[in-house]
């Protein structure tokens, strides 16, 4: 990770974190949550009133759920390696890439006026929407970090304070 540069004028990358497309990421997170709930109900029903070949049915549904979560883990590793949907915290600012790995938007720490975040936590989905307001533009840089306590939010605030952009 050291020595790489995310965008022109931002300097060396100090950290990178995954971000999600709001619609696609939320739908995928909700679907995984419902799959997990469906699996739990199916296991509970099999324990209360076991059908014929209950062990085989439980094994198959468990394998499907484990496969979905393994695919998610593999997808995270692949997108991190390709630089897809990432937020790069650099010495000089922040850069966010799109689904093709190109820099979608960036902002220098000297242009940051404030960082706003909105936590969206539900029964099966959780994410943080982060907006970085700029000094010379009406359009903020925004992205969505998945999870209830994403490491990206803490790292972004720490990096902003270190560079004097935030209090």
């Amino acid at each position: 990770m050291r020595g790489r540069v995310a965008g022109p004028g931002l300097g060396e990358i100090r950290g990178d974190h995954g971000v999600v497309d709001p619609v696609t990421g939320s739908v995928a997170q909700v679907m995984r949550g419902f799959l997990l709930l469906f699996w739990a109900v199916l296991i509970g029903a099999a324990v209360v009133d076991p059908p014929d070949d209950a062990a085989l049915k439980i094994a198959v549904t468990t394998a499907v759920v484990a496969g979905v979560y393994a695919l998610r883990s593999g997808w995270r590793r692949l997108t991190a390696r390709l630089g897809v949907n990432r937020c790069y915290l650099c010495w000089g600012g922040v850069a966010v890439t799109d689904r093709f790995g190109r820099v979608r938007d960036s902002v220098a720490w000297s242009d940051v006026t404030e960082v706003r975040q909105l936590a969206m936590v539900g029964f099966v989905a959780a994410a943080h929407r982060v907006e970085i307001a700029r000094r010379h533009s009406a359009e903020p840089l925004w992205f969505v970090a998945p999870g209830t306590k994403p490491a990206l939010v803490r790292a972004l605030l720490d990096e902003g304070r270190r560079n004097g952009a935030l209090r």
Side-chain angles (χ1 to χ4, degrees):
M1 179 167 66
R2 297 287 180 222
R4 293 186 322 179
V5 176
L10 295 181
E12 186 178 320
I13 296 173
R14 295 180 48 93
D16 69 297
H17 301 271
V19 296
V20 294
D21 173 47
V23 175
T24 308
S26 297
V27 168
Q29 197 173 24
V30 168
M31 294 305 288
R32 285 191 308 267
F34 281 132
L35 177 66
L36 199 58
L37 286 173
F38 176 72
W39 175 76
V41 167
L42 203 61
I43 297 297
V47 168
V48 172
D49 185 22
D52 297 336
D53 299 330
L56 176 66
K57 291 177 182 177
I58 289 172
V60 168
T61 56
T62 302
V64 168
V65 171
V68 166
Y69 279 88
L71 281 173
R72 179 189 71 156
S73 176
W75 180 252
R76 282 183 178 179
R77 287 191 176 114
L78 178 65
T79 58
R81 180 170 291 221
L82 297 175
V84 175
N85 289 333
R86 306 296 288 175
C87 177
Y88 293 101
L89 302 176
C90 304
W91 284 100
V94 178
V96 178
T97 61
D98 62 9
R99 68 182 67 150
F100 300 110
R102 296 179 300 221
V103 175
R104 171 174 60 94
D105 202 355
S106 63
V107 62
W109 289 119
S110 59
D111 289 339
V112 173
T113 58
E114 72 174 316
V115 175
R116 294 182 295 260
Q117 67 173 345
L118 172 68
M120 301 168 282
V121 180
F123 186 61
V124 292
H128 283 255
R129 178 183 164 93
V130 178
E131 289 184 6
I132 302 174
R134 310 174 204 218
R135 190 177 323 279
H136 303 293
S137 175
E139 291 293 320
L141 167 66
W142 68 273
F143 53 85
V144 177
T148 55
K149 292 183 179 181
L152 171 57
V153 174
R154 162 88 67 208
L156 175 72
L157 296 175
D158 289 345
E159 195 66 30
R161 286 184 194 104
R162 184 178 300 124
N163 284 291
L166 304 173
R167 288 181 229 140

